[in-house]
Amino acid sequence: MSTSNQADDLQSFMEEMGDVKPLAKNDTINLHDPKARIADKQKRAKLHLATQKSTFNPLTLENVTPVKPDDFLSFQQAGIQDGVFKNLRLGKYDIEQRISLKGLTLKEASQHLYESLGRCHEKGCRAVLIQHGRGEQSQPFPALKKSYVNHWLSELEEVIAFHSAQPAHGGLGATYALLKKHPEQKLINREKNRRG
């Protein structure tokens, strides 16, 4: 390439770059902002923790005491009034939610029951009907799912009482569960009582 062509190219370049100013020596472009990276990592960690929390299930799949298909399930936490438990046993509370575990594997039933009862408690539901079936033909022993429901309900702190359902609601193939009041529901009730 001739020197005149080089000079012409340099002249054309300088004309195109006319209003461009060189960067000062202390001006640096940081393509990887450490603060933004830390904030992004914290955001992802929170999202991961929230996802783990929603899928965490404390209900055990081991060491359950088998019950028979025709056994009554019954549990009453200390401090629950006998009249309240009697009304639950007789099916006198309005059923606010039905949870069906039929057709689910044991693991699926565990997850579904745990998540459903959690949502019911958050919404302020008190009386729930759990449909698990009698399990007369279940393997490895009869009433497999019923046995686990009996065990799981006694593990959950939200459940303050449960009892096998009346025949109209599924009899020995279903169980009433009474959930404790959600803390926010207690505040709403106190406010209503003050006004009333």
Side-chain angles (χ1 to χ4, degrees):
M1 186 181 252
S2 69
T3 35
S4 74
N5 282 345
Q6 285 179 346
D8 289 342
D9 287 344
L10 182 60
Q11 180 66 32
S12 295
F13 177 75
M14 294 308 281
E15 287 172 6
E16 290 295 323
M17 301 297 290
D19 59 345
V20 174
K21 297 178 183 160
L23 294 173
K25 290 190 181 201
N26 63 353
D27 287 348
T28 57
I29 298 172
N30 192 350
L31 297 176
H32 303 288
D33 182 10
K35 289 180 183 175
R37 288 182 75 193
I38 289 170
D40 185 49
K41 276 186 178 181
Q42 288 173 336
K43 184 179 173 183
R44 281 186 279 139
K46 279 183 182 177
L47 182 64
H48 178 69
L49 186 62
T51 305
Q52 268 189 330
K53 227 178 188 181
S54 67
T55 57
F56 173 72
N57 179 355
L59 301 180
T60 182
L61 293 173
E62 299 170 0
N63 301 325
V64 67
T65 304
V67 298
K68 295 177 183 163
D70 57 350
D71 281 352
F72 279 92
L73 303 186
S74 183
F75 167 80
Q76 179 181 0
Q77 214 175 61
I80 301 302
Q81 296 173 350
D82 290 335
V84 169
F85 187 67
K86 181 180 179 184
N87 285 338
L88 178 70
R89 181 173 53 84
L90 296 174
K92 291 192 174 181
Y93 291 116
D94 289 334
I95 296 169
E96 298 171 77
Q97 189 74 40
R98 293 172 191 266
I99 301 170
S100 177
L101 305 179
K102 294 178 181 179
L104 301 177
T105 66
L106 210 51
K107 189 173 183 178
E108 290 168 343
S110 162
Q111 192 66 34
H112 182 58
L113 181 66
Y114 177 69
E115 290 174 358
S116 298
L117 287 176
R119 282 192 300 270
C120 289
H121 184 245
E122 288 289 320
K123 290 193 295 187
C125 294
R126 296 296 310 280
V128 177
L129 179 69
I130 300 150
Q131 300 164 315
H132 45 73
R134 291 169 53 110
E136 292 176 7
Q137 305 299 319
S138 62
Q139 293 297 326
F141 56 85
L144 177 71
K145 205 174 289 179
K146 182 176 180 174
S147 300
Y148 274 96
V149 167
N150 184 48
H151 183 72
W152 292 334
L153 291 178
S154 61
E155 284 186 314
L156 292 170
E157 65 179 58
E158 294 87 2
V159 178
I160 56 176
F162 61 86
H163 197 279
S164 291
Q166 291 293 312
H169 292 132
L172 298 173
T175 301
Y176 302 123
L178 186 64
L179 306 183
K180 69 180 178 182
K181 286 182 182 172
H182 190 273
E184 288 178 18
Q185 194 63 40
K186 287 181 181 178
L187 292 173
I188 292 167
N189 290 348
R190 279 190 203 131
E191 198 61 37
K192 281 182 186 176
N193 291 336
R194 276 190 211 147
R195 291 181 195 156

